[in-house]
Amino acid sequence: MTDEPLLRVEDLTTTFETDAGRLVAVDGIDFSVEAGETVCLVGESGSGKTVATESITRLIKEPPGHIEGTVRFEGRDLADCAEPELREIRGADVAHVFQNPQDALNHCYTVGWQIAEAIRIHEDVGRSEARARAIELLGRVGIATPGARIDDYPHQFSGGEKQRVMIAMALSTNPDLLVADEPTTALDVTVQAQILRLLDELKTEYGMGVLFITHDLGVVSEIADRIVVLYAGKVMERGSAADVFERPSHPYTRQLLGCLPGIGPPSAGGIPGTLPDPTDPPEGCRFAPRCEHAVEACFEGGQPEAVERSPGHRVSCIHYHDGYDESVLGEPPTRLGLADPKAEEDTRTGGDADDG
Amino acid sequence: MGLARYVVLRVVWAAVVSLVIVTATFVLMAAAPNPAIQEAATQAALEGGDPQQAVERERELRGLDEPLHVRYLDFLTSIYTLEWGWSDHRSQPVTEALVEGLYYTAQYSIPWTVLTVLIGPLVGVYSAANMYSWRDHAATAFAFFGYAIPNFFFGIVLLLLFGVWLDWIPVVYRTDVAVFSLENARQLALPVFVLVTGSIGAVMRVSRNESAEFRDATFMKTAKAKGVSPFRAYAYHVMRPTLVPLSTTLVSQLLAIFLGSSLLVEVVFGIPGLGRLTFEALVAQDTNLVLGATFVFTFVAVIGNLLEDIAFSVLDPRISYDDR
C-alpha cells in the first residue's frame, strides 16, 4: 500500500459515440502521479490529453462518453465509485484548473462567491468563515488587496488574475492532486511565467501531485519531473524530464522537440501531416503515417510494445525492438536553447510585469 | 453607486416617454373634429336655432376657445393629476370606471403572471437539462401549441368543453363572489390557463435555448470539478445567467399578452375588466373613457419596459451603467 502512487491510471480508454461513429479519444494509456511531483502530459491538440485527465474523476459526460480502465487514487478505484462518491472526491481531493479562465468562471457571481461555493460544498463551514478563507486564498495566489477584490465579478479581473482565482478555487479544499489543463495557454507570456512559478510554489507548499497538460515543451522543461508523450490517444514515450529532454527516443518526441525554437534545424516548420482520424485510427503505430522513419512493420498490428531504455524511460517504437536498428532514427535533437531552464526562467520573469 | 444613478436616469427617461405620449395624444385630439360640437350644431339646426352660435357656445363651454398652449397645459395638468374627465357611457368619472375594471383584471392577471414567471423558466431549464428526452419534446410541443393557438379561440373551445359540455365550470362570470373564494377560483381557472398557455411558450423556449448554451459552458465543467451536484449546478450556474436574456422576453411577453390578448379573453369569458371596459367604450364612442384606458395600457407598457431595463442591469453584472 505504501508504495502505491497517489494516482495510477491503467489501461484507460475513453470513447465517444458520435454521428461519425465511435471516436477513440484515449486508447489504453497508463500513467501515474506521485505526491509532490509534476507529471506533464504532452502532445499536440487532439492527442487526448484533456480527455485523459477529465476521465480521472469522470468529468466527461456519459453518454456520449464511455470510460474504461482502472483509476486508482489514494487506494480507491474511481472507476468503481458511484456518482455521489465521485462528487466528494471532485474538488476536495482532485482539483482542476482549466485552460481558459475567461470561460471557466461564471460571469454572474463574484469570485468570492465561487471560491466559497467550493469550500462550502465539501466542508461544513459558515458563510463568513468561507469568505475569510477565500480572501486568504486570493492573497496567497497573488491577488493584491484581496479583501477589496473578493466581491468583484470575473470581468473585473485580468486574464492572469482570473487564472489565479481559478487556482485559489482549486486550492480551497486542500486537494491532493491538482490537474492543470493548459493553465497558461490563454495567457500572455509574462503572465504565463508568473502562473507557472506560482503553481510550482504551491505544489511544494501543499505537497500536491500535479498533473500538468500542455503542448508547450518550453513550459514542460521548466516544471516537469516526469513526462508522458501522447499521440492520437496512445503513449509514445514516457520518462523523467531528463530522460525525455536529454535522450528523446520516439521519432514523434524528437520532432516535437525539433519544433522548439533553438532546437533542430532553423527551417523546422512543424511536423508535416495531421493527426489520424480518431474514429478510424490506423493499424500499427499511430504515428507511422507521419513518421519519416516508418518501415512496413510500423503499419501492422497495434501500437508497438513499449521498450524500457533506462529505468522508467519507455518508448513505443519498433526501431528499439530486437531485430531493428535504432540508429536509423539518427541523432536526437540537441537542447541548444534549454541548457539551463532555471536561468531562462529568471530572465523571463525578471520584470514581473503587472497583470492587473 | 452607478446602479442607483442609472435607475434614476432610466426613471426620468420613462417620465419623458410618458410626456411624449400624452403630448401626441393631445395633438391628435386637438386636430380631430369634436363629435360633441357637431352634435350641438345638428341639435341647434333641428330646433331651428343658429348652428354657428351653438358651435361657439359649445366651444366656449368645453374651453376650446382658449389658445392652444393654455389648453395643452390644462390637458397635462388634468392627466397628471388623474382628473381624466367624465365617462358619458358609464355615467361615472373615468378614473373610477378604470379602477373598477382594474379590480377584475388584476384578479386573473396576477395569477397568470406569477404562474408564467414561476413555471416557464423552470420547465425551460429542465428541458435543457434533459434535451431531446420525451419530456423535452412534450414541453416543446406544449410551448408551440400555446404560442400558435389564438387565445380567444382557445378560450372559446375550453369554455365549450368545460363549461357547456362537461359543465364543470360556470359559463357566466359572476361579480358577486368573494375574491378569495373557490367559486372565483373556478370561474378564473380557464382564463388564467388560456393566458398562461399563451405567454409561457416563448418563456419556455427562451429559457431552454439560453440555458442550453450555459449548460455546456466551461464554468459548468468547473462547477462539476468542484463537486457541485447537477441540481445545484443547474439551479445556480445555469439559471442565474439564463435570467439575464430571459428578463427581456419575460417582460415583453407579459406585456404583449396583457395589452392584447387579455381584452379578447375578457370578452370571451365575460369578465368586466379593463379589456372589456375599453371594448365597450370604443363601441359607445366614449372618448374620455377610451383615452383613459389607453393611458393605463400605455403607462403599464412604459413601466414594464422600465422594469425590464432595470432587471437586465441588475442581473448582468457586466453591464456598465456609466456609458449609457
Side-chain angles (χ1 to χ4, degrees):
Chain A
M1 211 55 202
T2 44
D3 52 355
E4 176 97 333
L6 177 67
L7 172 78
R8 196 172 71 219
V9 173
E10 281 169 1
D11 201 22
L12 178 73
T13 302
T14 305
T15 57
F16 294 91
E17 288 305 328
T18 69
D19 293 339
R22 192 157 158 272
L23 184 154
V24 185
V26 171
D27 196 355
I29 68 169
D30 307 318
F31 60 87
S32 62
V33 182
E34 305 274 356
E37 76 166 348
T38 301
V39 174
C40 279
L41 286 186
V42 185
E44 60 196 288
S45 305
S47 54
K49 302 167 302 210
T50 299
V51 173
T53 53
E54 289 181 0
S55 300
I56 296 171
T57 55
R58 303 188 163 245
L59 295 183
I60 303 277
K61 208 176 235 175
E62 294 172 282
H66 180 72
I67 302 168
E68 275 175 52
T70 318
V71 179
R72 289 198 71 80
F73 177 76
E74 294 183 332
R76 272 201 276 188
D77 189 353
L78 300 191
D80 292 339
C81 283
E83 184 62 21
E85 274 178 275
L86 283 172
R87 226 178 280 150
E88 304 264 304
I89 293 167
R90 289 183 197 132
D93 300 318
V94 181
H96 280 257
V97 175
F98 295 106
Q99 175 171 1
N100 197 340
Q102 198 73 31
D103 305 327
L105 290 165
N106 192 323
H107 56 267
C108 284
Y109 294 101
T110 64
V111 299
W113 189 95
Q114 296 188 55
I115 297 172
E117 183 187 38
I119 298 173
R120 296 191 68 201
I121 279 174
H122 295 291
E123 294 172 36
D124 187 21
V125 297
R127 230 170 265 278
S128 54
E129 195 193 328
R131 184 184 160 87
R133 269 173 59 186
I135 295 175
E136 195 186 309
L137 282 159
L138 279 186
R140 178 62 199 89
V141 296
I143 301 282
T145 62
R149 303 299 303 278
I150 185 102
D151 292 322
D152 280 355
Y153 288 92
H155 72 275
Q156 290 162 296
F157 288 79
S158 71
E161 286 178 323
K162 272 185 219 151
Q163 199 58 292
R164 288 173 193 269
V165 169
M166 283 298 295
I167 293 170
M169 198 154 77
L171 294 176
S172 62
T173 47
N174 210 342
D176 300 319
L177 176 67
L178 179 70
V179 180
D181 186 349
E182 306 217 22
T184 59
T185 308
L187 305 177
D188 290 343
V189 179
T190 47
V191 182
Q192 276 188 17
Q194 295 169 15
I195 296 286
L196 287 180
R197 202 164 47 181
L198 174 67
L199 281 173
D200 208 45
E201 282 169 27
L202 294 170
K203 179 188 81 172
T204 318
E205 191 178 321
Y206 284 75
M208 301 178 293
V210 176
L211 184 57
F212 197 100
I213 306 180
T214 182
H215 58 255
D216 185 344
L217 287 167
V219 168
V220 178
S221 71
E222 287 178 24
I223 58 161
D225 294 313
R226 286 192 300 124
I227 297 173
V228 177
V229 181
L230 279 182
Y231 181 80
K234 289 275 192 196
V235 176
M236 296 291 128
E237 181 168 357
R238 75 175 77 230
S240 69
D243 286 336
V244 175
F245 275 103
E246 303 294 347
R247 291 174 298 280
S249 301
H250 198 280
Y252 177 61
T253 317
R254 290 183 180 184
Q255 288 208 280
L256 267 187
L257 283 171
C259 295
L260 272 183
I263 301 183
S267 62
I271 307 171
T274 52
L275 279 166
D277 179 2
T279 58
D280 183 24
E283 293 273 300
C285 175
R286 291 280 158 88
F287 187 60
R290 291 170 79 183
C291 182
E292 53 189 3
H293 306 293
V295 295
E296 213 168 287
C298 292
F299 295 96
E300 289 161 8
Q303 185 69 30
E305 193 77 21
V307 174
E308 188 140 37
R309 299 203 69 204
S310 58
H313 184 197
R314 298 169 71 85
V315 188
S316 166
C317 177
I318 205 164
H319 292 292
Y320 296 96
H321 283 201
D322 290 338
Y324 288 89
D325 181 10
E326 63 178 79
S327 66
V328 300
L329 299 176
E331 285 300 307
T334 48
R335 302 183 49 181
L336 288 176
L338 298 171
D340 188 354
K342 290 292 172 203
E344 194 206 26
E345 187 197 24
D346 289 344
T347 54
R348 272 170 75 175
T349 59
D352 209 74
D354 179 19
D355 56 326
Chain B
M1 166 78 200
L3 181 62
R5 192 171 150 266
Y6 172 74
V7 170
V8 169
L9 278 176
R10 193 60 191 75
V11 169
V12 170
W13 178 239
V16 171
V17 169
S18 82
L19 185 68
V20 170
I21 292 165
V22 171
T23 306
T25 315
F26 171 76
V27 170
L28 289 174
M29 296 280 289
N34 192 324
I37 292 171
Q38 305 294 320
E39 208 171 299
T42 317
Q43 197 69 26
L46 284 174
E47 286 167 7
D50 180 5
Q52 197 59 41
Q53 219 174 348
V55 166
E56 256 155 46
R57 199 168 349 104
E58 189 68 25
R59 280 173 62 89
E60 208 172 313
L61 196 68
R62 293 181 176 266
L64 295 179
D65 55 339
E66 301 272 352
L68 204 61
H69 68 275
V70 176
R71 281 166 56 200
Y72 176 59
L73 284 178
D74 282 350
F75 184 76
L76 278 191
T77 318
S78 58
I79 292 297
Y80 285 108
T81 53
L82 291 181
E83 280 169 22
W84 291 2
W86 183 262
S87 163
D88 293 333
H89 145 73
R90 307 249 316 190
S91 301
Q92 63 182 151
V94 166
T95 43
E96 209 178 289
L98 291 174
V99 168
E100 274 175 26
L102 204 55
Y103 175 73
Y104 293 106
T105 298
Q107 284 182 33
Y108 71 87
S109 289
I110 292 172
W112 78 255
T113 305
V114 170
L115 287 174
T116 302
V117 171
L118 286 184
I119 300 173
L122 281 181
V123 177
V125 172
Y126 180 86
S127 272
N130 300 282
M131 205 170 256
Y132 306 124
S133 67
W134 71 266
R135 288 185 194 83
D136 173 36
H137 286 304
T140 303
F142 178 77
F144 278 118
F145 171 78
Y147 202 60
I149 194 165
N151 283 317
F152 73 93
F153 175 72
F154 191 38
I156 291 172
V157 170
L158 289 181
L159 203 56
L160 201 60
L161 181 64
F162 293 105
V164 179
W165 293 340
L166 293 174
D167 202 19
W168 287 356
I169 54 127
V171 179
V172 178
Y173 182 86
R174 286 171 54 193
T175 52
D176 57 345
V177 298
V179 176
F180 296 102
S181 65
L182 197 62
E183 288 81 11
N184 201 29
R186 265 178 64 190
Q187 68 182 2
L188 288 179
L190 280 190
V192 166
F193 180 71
V194 167
L195 290 168
V196 167
T197 321
S199 63
I200 209 169
V203 175
M204 275 163 57
R205 292 302 294 171
V206 170
S207 354
R208 176 186 182 270
N209 297 344
E210 292 293 338
S211 46
E213 186 187 322
F214 297 121
R215 178 191 69 158
D216 298 329
T218 314
F219 58 70
M220 280 296 274
K221 195 183 270 178
T222 308
K224 192 175 183 184
K226 281 201 283 192
V228 174
S229 68
F231 178 78
R232 189 185 157 88
Y234 273 99
Y236 285 84
H237 291 275
V238 171
M239 191 59 118
R240 182 64 179 73
T242 300
L243 285 178
V244 179
L246 185 62
S247 64
T248 314
T249 313
L250 207 54
V251 174
S252 59
Q253 271 301 305
L254 295 179
L255 279 181
I257 299 278
F258 178 75
L259 302 179
S261 305
S262 61
L263 188 149
L264 298 168
V265 166
E266 281 184 13
V267 172
V268 169
F269 289 98
I271 302 170
L274 264 188
R276 220 179 77 175
L277 183 104
T278 314
F279 178 70
E280 281 166 5
L282 279 167
V283 172
Q285 298 194 333
D286 187 341
T287 313
N288 284 346
L289 191 52
V290 172
L291 202 59
T294 313
F295 278 140
V296 168
F297 285 124
T298 320
F299 290 147
V300 166
V302 169
I303 290 167
N305 283 316
L306 171 70
L307 293 178
E308 171 188 325
D309 274 8
I310 292 175
F312 199 84
S313 321
V314 171
L315 288 172
D316 192 343
R318 292 173 302 182
I319 288 183
S320 122
Y321 316 106
D322 303 325
D323 50 355
R324 298 215 300 177

